[in-house]
Amino acid sequence: MKRPSLVRRSLLQGLALMPWLWAPGALPAQPQAHGIELAHLDLQHSEAELTLDFDVRVALPRGVEDAMQRGVPVYFVADAVLYRSRWYWRDERVARVQRSWRVAYQPLTSIWRVGFGGFNQNFQTLGEALTAASRSSRWKVADTALLDPESRYYLDFSYRLDTSQLPSPMQIGLGGQAEWVLGVERRLRLE
């Protein structure tokens, strides 16, 4: 009779000591998907101006959320760039607009604060704060007077977590960490 090898016997003993591997439903849940998802993006053309509506859903990775819980403010930036298509040269940039939101946790008061421009608003939960920092309506991109009715235009939209505005000591080790690279980009044609 052959005896099992030492490696095989150790493996079988190790598996016998871990009954949670064999119990149904005992495995840890799959990690939740993290990132930024564009739920709504709409470009509206009126007689006076070109406006943009967007709604983004943000699911933060654990490392980003932990840093925020410790009071590190994070910044989200939305960019919209309007281009005129040209066949003979690079496309011409007609207008560029940018918005930035600062989301920070106040540990002493347990309040989430969202800053936009010179205005600040307080929220009880991180989810509420992220919702406030991830949508905009009737955002003016350009005046209609800048547009030539004979030309074709398109808009490049992006929404991202801006790591360049993090405190300097945190920026040092973020180069290789994928959980801090969050963003979404879309292109819309102006009809």
Side-chain angles (χ1 to χ4, degrees):
M1 181 157 118
K2 275 185 156 180
R3 296 181 66 197
S5 70
L6 183 60
V7 174
R8 187 172 168 197
R9 190 173 8 162
S10 298
L11 180 63
L12 290 173
Q13 287 174 348
L15 287 175
L17 294 175
M18 292 188 268
W20 60 270
L21 282 175
W22 302 104
L27 292 176
Q30 293 294 325
Q32 183 182 9
H34 303 293
I36 296 177
E37 175 189 342
L38 189 59
H40 174 74
L41 181 63
D42 187 32
L43 190 60
Q44 299 169 351
H45 186 94
S46 70
E47 289 182 18
E49 60 191 12
L50 187 64
T51 59
L52 184 68
D53 296 343
F54 73 88
D55 185 9
V56 175
R57 293 197 179 101
V58 179
L60 295 176
R62 188 73 185 145
V64 176
E65 195 171 325
D66 285 346
M68 292 177 75
Q69 291 282 349
R70 292 186 172 106
V72 176
V74 297
Y75 294 83
F76 293 95
V77 176
D79 264 324
V81 184
L82 182 67
Y83 291 98
R84 181 172 66 97
S85 297
R86 297 192 288 192
W87 63 270
Y88 58 89
W89 196 250
R90 291 177 43 188
D91 294 343
E92 176 187 13
R93 185 172 74 184
V94 177
R96 179 177 184 194
V97 290
Q98 185 178 58
R99 285 191 171 179
S100 179
W101 294 266
R102 179 183 187 266
V103 180
Y105 182 64
Q106 307 295 318
L108 293 175
T109 58
S110 298
I111 297 289
W112 291 92
R113 176 171 282 189
V114 177
F116 175 70
F119 301 103
N120 290 308
Q121 189 171 4
N122 295 332
F123 297 94
Q124 294 297 320
T125 65
L126 174 60
E128 292 171 350
L130 289 176
T131 299
S134 62
R135 61 178 52 168
S136 185
S137 62
R138 308 245 345 122
W139 180 20
K140 182 180 173 182
V141 176
D143 290 321
T144 308
L146 296 173
L147 306 179
D148 178 17
E150 301 297 319
S151 298
R152 295 184 337 182
Y153 295 88
Y154 64 91
L155 179 102
D156 282 343
F157 172 80
S158 69
Y159 183 89
R160 63 186 165 80
L161 173 67
D162 189 4
T163 56
S164 68
Q165 295 188 50
L166 289 171
S168 298
M170 286 195 67
Q171 291 180 22
I172 294 170
L174 291 181
Q177 295 185 14
E179 68 181 1
W180 285 88
V181 180
L182 300 172
V184 64
E185 296 178 351
R186 289 289 186 277
R187 178 170 285 179
L188 289 175
R189 300 253 175 235
L190 180 61
E191 303 295 329

